[in-house]
C-alpha cells in the first residue's frame, strides 16, 4: 500500500508540473508550492477515502454464497478487528451455518468492543440459549440479560428473555417482576398474550392473577418536570451521559412508577411524565395522589445508581393534569 501511495503522489506531481508550467516560468517558487500543496492534499484525501483494495477483483466481487460472505467478512475483520457490527454479522452467519462455537466466540469479540450495548447483550444471550442442548439460558447468558436490563430497563427483548430464564430456573416470582413492566410498553395485541404468560408465572409463584385491565385516560395525569444542572457540576458533566427522570411512590418501594431516560444536549430540560412512562401495569401515575420526583445523571447509562453519578434532591408533588416540579441536579453520589 505504501508503494501505491508514493506512486500516486509522484504521478500527481508530474501532472501538476505539466499543467502549471506557465506558473513555473514566471514564479518558480510559487509554482513549486502549489505542486507540493496539491500533492499533499491528494495524498490526505486518498488516505481518508481511497483504498487500493477496491482494485482487487476478489474484494470487489459480491459473495455468491453464505460461505463466500463469511470468508470475505473474516478477511475484513482480520484487517480491522475493531468493527462491532462486523463481529455481530459474522456471529449471525456462523449460526446460520450451524457453527455455534464460532458464533459464541464472534459475539464475545463484539461484546469486548461494546460491553454495554443492550441489544447486543440480548442477542448474544439468545444465541447461547439456542445452542444449549435444552434451549436454556446458562449463567453467562443470564448475566448478559441482567446487565442489559440494568442499562436499559425498557429494553423489551432483554426483559422477555430474562423472564424466560428466571422461569426456567424455577424463579416464578422473579419472572413476574421482570415481565410485568413489559405490559406497559407493548401494544395491546402483544399485551394480551403477555398477560397470559404473566398470570401463569404468578400462579406458579402462588400469586393472584392480574386484575383485568381498565381503560384509563393517560392524559388525566401529566407531570411536567424541569431539570437543571448546578453550574459547579457542569464542568464535570460526562460526555454522552444519560439523564433519568424518575417518579416513585412516596415512602414506597424503590421501583419507579414512571421513568424517562434522555441524553440531552443541554440544560435546563423539560420532561412530561404520563402513564405511558409507567413501568408496572399495577402502579401507574394516574393511580397515585402524590409522587416523589428525582433526577439522576448517569455516566454509564445504567438505571442503577452508581458512585460518581449526579442526582437531585427528591421533590414530592400532587398528581394531576397540570402538576409540575423543578429539580436541580446538585450533588454527587458517594
Amino acid at each position: 500500500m505504501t508503494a501505491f501511495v508514493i506512486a500516486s503522489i509522484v504521478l500527481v506531481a508530474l501532472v501538476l508540473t505539466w499543467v502549471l508550467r506557465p506558473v513555473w516560468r514566471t514564479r518558480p517558487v510559487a509554482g513549486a508550492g502549489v505542486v507540493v500543496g496539491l500533492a499533499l492534499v491528494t495524498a490526505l484525501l486518498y488516505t481518508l477515502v481511497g483504498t487500493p483494495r477496491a482494485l482487487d477483483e476478489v474484494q470487489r466481487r459480491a459473495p455468491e454464497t453464505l460461505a463466500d460472505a463469511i470468508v470475505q467478512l473474516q478477511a475484513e475483520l482480520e484487517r480491522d478487528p475493531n468493527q462491532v457490527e462486523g463481529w455481530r454479522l459474522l456471529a449471525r452467519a456462523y449460526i446460520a451455518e450451524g457453527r455455534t462455537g464460532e458464533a459464541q466466540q464472534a459475539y464475545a469479540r463484539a461484546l469486548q468492543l461494546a460491553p454495554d450495548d443492550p441489544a447486543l447483550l440480548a442477542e448474544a444471550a439468545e444465541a447461547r440459549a439456542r445452542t444449549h442442548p435444552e434451549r436454556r439460558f446458562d449463567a453467562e447468558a443470564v448475566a448478559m440479560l441482567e446487565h442489559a436490563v440494568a442499562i436499559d430497563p425498557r429494553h423489551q427483548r432483554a426483559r422477555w428473555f430474562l423472564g424466560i430464564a428466571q422461569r426456567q430456573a424455577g424463579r416464578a416470582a422473579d419472572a413476574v417482576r421482570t415481565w410485568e413492566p413489559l405490559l406497559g410498553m407493548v401494544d395491546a395485541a402483544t399485551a394480551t398474550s403477555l398477560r397470559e404468560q404473566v398470570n401463569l408465572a404468578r400462579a406458579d409463584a402462588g400469586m393472584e392473577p392480574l386484575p383485568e385491565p381498565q381503560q384509563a385516560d393517560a392524559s388525566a395525569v401529566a407531570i411536567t418536570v424541569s431539570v437543571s444542572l448546578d453550574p459547579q457540576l457542569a464542568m464535570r458533566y460526562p460526555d454522552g451521559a444519560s439523564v433519568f427522570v424518575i417518579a416513585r411512590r412516596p415512602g414506597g418501594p424503590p421501583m419507579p412508577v414512571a421513568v424517562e431516560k434522555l441524553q440531552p444536549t443541554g440544560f435546563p430540560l423539560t420532561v412530561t411524565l404520563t402513564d405511558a412512562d409507567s413501568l408496572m401495569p399495577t402502579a401507574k401515575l394516574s393511580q397515585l395522589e402524590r409522587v416523589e420526583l428525582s433526577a439522576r445523571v448517569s455516566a454509564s447509562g445504567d438505571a442503577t445508581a452508581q458512585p460518581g453519578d449526579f442526582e437531585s434532591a427528591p421533590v414530592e408533588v400532587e398528581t394531576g393534569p397540570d402538576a409540575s416540579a423543578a429539580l436541580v441536579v446538585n450533588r454527587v453520589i458517594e
Side-chain angles (χ1 to χ4, degrees):
M1 179 175 176
T2 302
F4 188 94
V5 174
I6 294 173
S8 300
I9 294 174
V10 171
L11 181 60
V12 169
L14 290 174
V15 171
L16 289 175
T17 300
W18 172 258
V19 172
L20 297 175
R21 63 187 186 282
V23 178
W24 279 100
R25 293 171 181 168
T26 57
R27 301 177 64 184
V29 175
V34 170
V35 170
V36 173
L38 289 175
L40 288 174
V41 169
T42 301
L44 288 172
L45 284 174
Y46 169 80
T47 302
L48 292 173
V49 303
T51 171
R53 295 171 68 248
L55 301 177
D56 187 343
E57 180 64 27
V58 175
Q59 297 291 340
R60 289 192 295 115
R61 187 181 69 247
E64 297 179 357
T65 65
L66 181 58
D68 290 342
I70 289 176
V71 170
Q72 289 191 17
L73 192 51
Q74 287 172 330
E76 174 63 19
L77 288 170
E78 185 175 350
R79 184 188 68 83
D80 180 8
N82 296 319
Q83 302 183 60
V84 176
E85 286 304 314
W87 288 111
R88 195 174 193 171
L89 289 172
L90 184 59
R92 292 173 181 172
Y94 282 147
I95 289 175
E97 284 208 331
R99 299 160 66 177
T100 56
E102 291 167 293
Q104 291 186 13
Q105 293 176 6
Y107 274 124
R109 292 294 299 270
L111 285 170
Q112 288 177 357
L113 298 171
D116 297 324
D117 184 332
L120 179 59
L121 286 162
E123 186 176 320
E126 181 188 12
R128 292 188 69 86
R130 289 177 60 183
T131 59
H132 191 280
E134 300 177 2
R135 295 295 191 267
R136 299 178 67 89
F137 292 91
D138 61 13
E140 186 171 345
V142 171
M144 292 177 184
L145 295 171
E146 289 175 340
H147 185 44
V149 172
I151 294 170
D152 184 2
R154 299 182 67 86
H155 197 280
Q156 299 178 19
R157 193 177 183 190
R159 272 194 177 276
W160 171 246
F161 287 148
L162 180 57
I164 292 175
Q166 289 165 338
R167 285 212 69 187
Q168 289 176 342
R171 298 160 51 196
D174 289 337
V176 169
R177 285 188 288 270
T178 298
W179 279 344
E180 282 191 349
L182 285 173
L183 291 170
M185 305 178 197
V186 299
D187 57 55
T190 304
T192 300
S193 58
L194 176 60
R195 180 177 291 272
E196 295 176 1
Q197 296 299 319
V198 172
N199 281 333
L200 288 173
R202 290 178 72 91
D204 289 345
M207 305 165 65
E208 293 293 327
L210 288 172
E212 289 300 317
Q214 298 178 349
Q215 297 296 327
D217 182 6
S219 64
V221 171
I223 305 175
T224 302
V225 185
S226 172
V227 181
S228 58
L229 180 65
D230 189 306
Q232 294 184 358
L233 295 180
M235 297 298 294
R236 299 167 56 186
Y237 187 84
D239 292 336
S242 298
V243 176
F244 292 88
V245 180
I246 305 165
R248 294 186 175 91
R249 186 190 300 271
M255 183 69 176
V257 295
V259 62
E260 277 210 25
K261 179 183 179 181
L262 311 100
Q263 287 187 306
T265 57
F267 289 88
L269 61 91
T270 301
V271 176
T272 300
L273 297 178
T274 69
D275 276 358
D277 301 303
S278 297
L279 297 179
M280 300 289 289
T282 55
K284 293 181 176 291
L285 284 176
S286 57
Q287 298 171 343
L288 303 177
E289 294 183 357
R290 299 184 66 83
V291 294
E292 180 184 274
L293 301 169
S294 63
R296 182 166 55 81
V297 174
S298 169
S300 65
D302 197 320
T304 304
Q306 305 288 336
D309 288 353
F310 305 160
E311 67 176 358
S312 71
V315 173
E316 192 171 319
V317 300
E318 292 184 358
T319 59
D322 301 318
S324 62
L327 303 175
V328 179
V329 177
N330 58 2
R331 59 193 189 189
V332 182
I333 298 176
E334 301 294 339

